[in-house]
Structure formats: C-alpha cells, structure tokens
Amino acid sequence: MSCTPKTVTITPVNATPTTGPWLFEYPAGHSYNVKASFPVIDLPRDTGCYDITFKIGGSNSLIAFNQTSPILINGSAPPGPGGQIIPQGLPLGPNAKQLVVQDLNSNDAASGPLELNYTLQFTNTDIAHRTLDPVIKNGGKTTRTLVGSHASRVDVANLAIGIAVFITLVFVAYQLVKIRRELARR
C-alpha cells in the first residue's frame, strides 16, 4: 500500500536535569518548543494512509529510539494488530534515530476526528529526554450512505435530481408513444 509520507523532526533542547523540552518540527519548516503540552500531527479527512517518520534531529548522540518499544498507546501498551498505527521495521537497530509508523487514517469520519495519544520512548543516558507524547489527529474516511442520518446534502440533492430526470424521461417517452399512435390512426 502506498501512503503519503510525512516527516516529523524532534530535536532535544538543553534543559534542566529532569524536564527536557523538545523542538518539534511539523509541518516541515514550522517548529515550536514542546515541554508540557502535546504536539499534534493533524491528518485531514479522506486523504488516505500516511507513513509518518519521526526523526531525531540535532547533535545529541545520547538519544536514540527504544529498539523494541519505540511507540506506546497512551503511554502503556505497544500498538496492536487492527489498530490505526502500525510501526514499521521493528525491532529497530541500536542508536536508531528514525522511527516510521504507518497511520491508516481509516476511522469513520462521521464520528469526528480521532485523537490518538502516543508516547515515543527513547533509550539513552540523557535522563531529560526519555519520552515525548505526540497526539495524532486522524480525520478519518468518509463512509457515504443514503440510509439514516449520515446522508449528506449533496447525496440527497443528487438522488432528487436523478429521480426528477428519470420521471422526465419516462414522461417524454410516453408522449412520443402517444404521438406515434395518434399518427398511426390517421
């Protein structure tokens, strides 16, 4: 499956011994410091899946992704089968500076965006930068249906126009048959 690539660069910033902020760059060229807030990766509705590459920037050689559990759901469990996020290439190599996850972005968009809370884990001797908690906001996939309250106004309008065109064609065909019969009687 071919997915849209997204790159998120995360760079550790010098900090106090226990609270390490990150420079979070997403989208490319737009960066901001993250300390207590959760950075959001926003994936629009109906845009399909994404390959999100988390890349550790900067020159801090003490920081690498955890080899076996680089990403956790809500800070506790690794993503499992059937979920929205699928980590690629696990286990990672030692001193891995890059993590790729595939986000299916296939949740039902009619329920609104789905916010997925994750924890990126790092194995290092820099105790100030052990985790980062990004939120991936999936716009999802629109599932169109003409039954129930999920029908969009465009769908209803298209159905009404289709019915009107059909009735018009039946009426015109009836009139043509009527005219031919009238001419045949003469």
Side-chain angles (χ1 to χ4, degrees), residues 12 15 28 40 44 86 124 140 159 177 183:
V40 177
I86 305 165
N124 50 46
L159 179 63
V177 168
L183 289 175

Side-chain angles (χ1 to χ4, degrees), residues 84 103-110 112-114 116 138-143:
Q84 287 289 315
D103 187 314
L104 300 178
N105 195 22
S106 62
N107 52 291
D108 184 5
L114 175 64
L116 305 166
N138 281 3
K141 181 178 180 183
T142 302
T143 53

Side-chain angles (χ1 to χ4, degrees), residues 26-97:
Y26 174 82
H30 180 262
S31 58
Y32 51 97
N33 281 326
V34 176
K35 191 169 184 177
S37 63
F38 301 103
V40 177
I41 301 166
D42 195 1
L43 305 179
R45 180 174 60 183
D46 293 329
T47 55
C49 65
Y50 286 85
D51 285 331
I52 303 170
T53 302
F54 292 99
K55 188 170 95 176
I56 299 173
S59 59
N60 188 334
S61 62
L62 301 177
I63 298 176
F65 281 102
N66 182 302
Q67 286 181 267
T68 55
S69 296
I71 187 167
L72 301 175
I73 300 171
N74 294 325
S76 61
Q84 287 289 315
I85 295 285
I86 305 165
Q88 306 292 300
L90 294 183
L92 300 175
N95 300 316
K97 299 286 186 182

